[in-house]
Protein backbone atom coordinates (compact mmCIF):
# COMPACT_ATOMS: atom_id res chain seq x y z
CA UNK A 1 0.00 0.00 0.00
CA UNK A 2 1.41 3.38 -0.98
CA UNK A 3 1.59 5.95 1.80
CA UNK A 4 2.67 9.58 2.01
CA UNK A 5 5.16 9.12 4.85
CA UNK A 6 8.86 8.41 5.07
CA UNK A 7 11.36 8.00 7.89
CA UNK A 8 14.67 9.83 8.28
CA UNK A 9 17.60 10.06 10.65
CA UNK A 10 20.03 12.95 10.82
CA UNK A 11 23.03 10.76 11.54
CA UNK A 12 25.66 11.36 14.28
CA UNK A 13 27.97 13.35 11.96
CA UNK A 14 25.17 15.82 11.23
CA UNK A 15 24.52 16.34 14.95
CA UNK A 16 28.28 16.63 15.72
CA UNK A 17 28.81 19.27 13.01
CA UNK A 18 25.88 21.43 14.15
CA UNK A 19 23.92 20.69 10.97
CA UNK A 20 20.54 19.82 12.53
CA UNK A 21 19.11 23.29 11.83
CA UNK A 22 20.25 23.68 8.21
CA UNK A 23 19.17 20.15 7.28
CA UNK A 24 15.72 20.49 8.89
CA UNK A 25 15.31 23.85 7.15
CA UNK A 26 16.00 22.21 3.80
CA UNK A 27 13.59 19.36 4.56
CA UNK A 28 10.70 21.62 5.57
CA UNK A 29 11.41 24.11 2.75
CA UNK A 30 11.08 21.15 0.36
CA UNK A 31 7.50 20.58 1.48
CA UNK A 32 7.84 17.85 4.09
CA UNK A 33 5.75 18.13 7.26
CA UNK A 34 7.31 16.79 10.47
CA UNK A 35 4.96 14.14 11.89
CA UNK A 36 7.29 12.86 14.64
CA UNK A 37 10.76 13.91 15.78
CA UNK A 38 13.27 13.30 18.57
CA UNK A 39 16.94 13.44 19.55
CA UNK A 40 17.93 9.91 20.55
CA UNK A 41 20.91 7.57 20.54
CA UNK A 42 20.84 4.02 19.18
CA UNK A 43 22.41 1.18 21.15
CA UNK A 44 24.55 -1.38 19.34
CA UNK A 45 21.61 -3.80 19.40
CA UNK A 46 19.33 -1.10 17.96
CA UNK A 47 21.69 -0.33 15.07
CA UNK A 48 22.29 -4.02 14.33
CA UNK A 49 18.53 -4.55 14.16
CA UNK A 50 17.80 -1.39 12.17
CA UNK A 51 20.44 -2.28 9.55
CA UNK A 52 19.97 -6.08 9.72
CA UNK A 53 19.52 -6.19 5.93
CA UNK A 54 23.20 -5.18 5.63
CA UNK A 55 24.60 -7.62 8.20
CA UNK A 56 26.64 -9.62 5.68
CA UNK A 57 28.13 -6.52 4.06
CA UNK A 58 31.82 -5.68 4.71
CA UNK A 59 30.93 -2.23 6.07
CA UNK A 60 28.38 -3.49 8.65
CA UNK A 61 30.68 -3.20 11.69
CA UNK A 62 31.75 0.33 10.79
CA UNK A 63 28.15 1.30 10.07
CA UNK A 64 27.02 0.14 13.53
CA UNK A 65 29.96 1.96 15.21
CA UNK A 66 29.14 5.16 13.34
CA UNK A 67 25.42 5.09 13.95
CA UNK A 68 25.83 4.49 17.70
CA UNK A 69 28.65 6.93 18.47
CA UNK A 70 26.38 9.85 19.34
CA UNK A 71 22.85 11.14 19.18
CA UNK A 72 20.77 11.23 16.03
CA UNK A 73 17.60 13.08 15.11
CA UNK A 74 14.91 10.57 14.13
CA UNK A 75 11.85 11.86 12.31
CA UNK A 76 8.79 10.82 10.33
CA UNK A 77 7.99 13.11 7.41
CA UNK A 78 4.80 13.56 5.41
CA UNK A 79 4.43 14.70 1.80
CA UNK A 80 2.86 13.39 -1.41
CA UNK A 81 5.24 10.76 -2.83
CA UNK A 82 7.31 11.08 0.37
CA UNK A 83 9.67 8.10 -0.01
CA UNK A 84 10.78 8.86 -3.56
CA UNK A 85 10.86 12.64 -3.15
CA UNK A 86 12.94 12.37 0.01
CA UNK A 87 15.45 10.02 -1.66
CA UNK A 88 15.77 12.64 -4.41
CA UNK A 89 16.28 15.40 -1.82
CA UNK A 90 19.05 13.51 0.02
CA UNK A 91 20.93 12.34 -3.09
CA UNK A 92 23.07 9.28 -3.79
CA UNK A 93 24.50 7.17 -0.95
CA UNK A 94 27.99 8.30 -1.97
CA UNK A 95 28.13 12.11 -1.69
CA UNK A 96 30.72 12.18 -4.48
CA UNK A 97 27.93 10.93 -6.76
CA UNK A 98 25.12 13.01 -5.23
CA UNK A 99 23.47 15.71 -7.34
CA UNK A 100 24.20 19.39 -6.69
CA UNK A 101 22.00 20.86 -3.97
CA UNK A 102 21.13 17.54 -2.35
CA UNK A 103 21.56 17.12 1.39
CA UNK A 104 24.33 14.55 1.00
CA UNK A 105 26.17 16.74 -1.54
CA UNK A 106 25.99 19.65 0.89
CA UNK A 107 26.56 17.94 4.25
CA UNK A 108 27.99 14.39 3.84
CA UNK A 109 31.68 13.60 4.19
CA UNK A 110 31.86 10.13 2.61
CA UNK A 111 29.85 7.08 1.56
CA UNK A 112 30.04 5.84 5.16
CA UNK A 113 29.41 9.14 6.97
CA UNK A 114 26.67 10.40 4.73
CA UNK A 115 24.66 12.74 6.98
CA UNK A 116 21.14 11.36 6.59
CA UNK A 117 19.03 8.24 6.24
CA UNK A 118 15.96 7.98 4.04
CA UNK A 119 13.63 4.97 3.77
CA UNK A 120 13.78 3.13 0.45
CA UNK A 121 10.13 1.95 0.27
CA UNK A 122 6.72 2.61 1.81
CA UNK A 123 6.95 -0.72 3.62
CA UNK A 124 10.34 0.11 5.16
CA UNK A 125 9.20 3.64 6.02
CA UNK A 126 6.43 2.15 8.17
CA UNK A 127 8.75 -0.42 9.77
CA UNK A 128 11.49 2.15 10.48
CA UNK A 129 9.06 4.74 11.85
CA UNK A 130 7.58 2.17 14.21
CA UNK A 131 11.09 1.15 15.26
CA UNK A 132 11.69 4.63 16.70
CA UNK A 133 8.24 5.99 17.61
CA UNK A 134 5.11 4.88 19.40
CA UNK A 135 1.69 5.83 18.06
CA UNK A 136 1.38 8.60 20.68
CA UNK A 137 4.55 10.26 19.32
CA UNK A 138 3.21 10.58 15.76
CA UNK A 139 1.13 13.59 14.75
N1 LIG B 1 27.32 2.37 3.70
C1 LIG B 1 28.71 2.28 3.82
N2 LIG B 1 29.42 1.79 2.76
C2 LIG B 1 28.85 1.40 1.59
C3 LIG B 1 27.45 1.50 1.47
C4 LIG B 1 26.71 1.97 2.54
O1 LIG B 1 29.25 2.59 4.86
O2 LIG B 1 29.56 0.98 0.67
C5 LIG B 1 26.53 2.87 4.83
C6 LIG B 1 26.03 4.30 4.58
O3 LIG B 1 26.00 4.99 5.84
C7 LIG B 1 24.63 4.05 4.06
C8 LIG B 1 24.20 2.84 4.91
O4 LIG B 1 25.38 2.05 5.01
O5 LIG B 1 23.79 5.17 4.20
C9 LIG B 1 23.07 2.02 4.33
O6 LIG B 1 23.41 1.64 3.01
P1 LIG B 1 22.36 1.73 1.81
O7 LIG B 1 22.94 1.00 0.67
O8 LIG B 1 21.02 1.29 2.32
O9 LIG B 1 22.35 3.28 1.46
P2 LIG B 1 21.23 4.41 1.66
O10 LIG B 1 19.89 3.74 1.51
O11 LIG B 1 21.45 4.99 3.03
O12 LIG B 1 21.49 5.42 0.58
MG1 LIG C 1 19.11 2.08 2.40
Amino acid sequence: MATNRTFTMLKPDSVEKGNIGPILEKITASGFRIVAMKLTQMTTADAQAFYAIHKERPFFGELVEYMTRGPIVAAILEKDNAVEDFRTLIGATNPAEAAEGTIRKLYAASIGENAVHGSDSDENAAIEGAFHFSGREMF
Side-chain angles (χ1 to χ4, degrees):
M1 185 190 72
T3 71
N4 56 354
R5 290 186 173 190
T6 191
F7 172 77
T8 188
M9 296 182 285
L10 312 193
K11 296 181 176 184
D13 54 323
S14 294
V15 177
E16 289 160 7
K17 292 174 182 169
N19 288 336
I20 295 173
I23 293 173
L24 288 179
E25 168 59 24
K26 199 156 172 59
I27 290 169
T28 54
S30 299
F32 292 88
R33 185 174 81 83
I34 295 168
V35 173
M37 186 165 67
K38 65 182 158 194
L39 190 67
T40 185
Q41 185 163 0
M42 289 200 284
T43 65
T44 297
D46 289 335
Q48 286 171 338
F50 188 92
Y51 284 111
I53 192 164
H54 295 306
K55 66 176 184 295
E56 307 302 338
R57 307 282 287 278
F59 58 82
F60 184 67
E62 275 181 30
L63 175 59
V64 170
E65 283 277 313
Y66 160 52
M67 288 303 298
T68 58
R69 78 179 186 216
I72 60 164
V73 174
I76 298 172
L77 305 172
E78 190 171 78
K79 182 184 180 300
D80 289 347
N81 202 36
V83 166
E84 189 184 347
D85 285 2
F86 193 71
R87 293 291 302 202
T88 300
L89 179 64
I90 69 178
T93 307
N94 184 350
E97 295 166 6
E100 288 301 327
T102 60
I103 291 173
R104 282 170 166 166
K105 184 69 170 187
L106 289 166
Y107 298 110
S110 67
I111 191 169
E113 302 208 3
N114 60 4
V116 284
H117 170 81
S119 303
D120 62 7
S121 65
D122 289 329
E123 184 188 9
N124 284 335
I127 292 167
E128 292 169 0
F131 186 93
H132 282 275
F133 295 100
S134 72
R136 284 194 299 118
E137 297 175 299
M138 299 178 194
F139 301 91

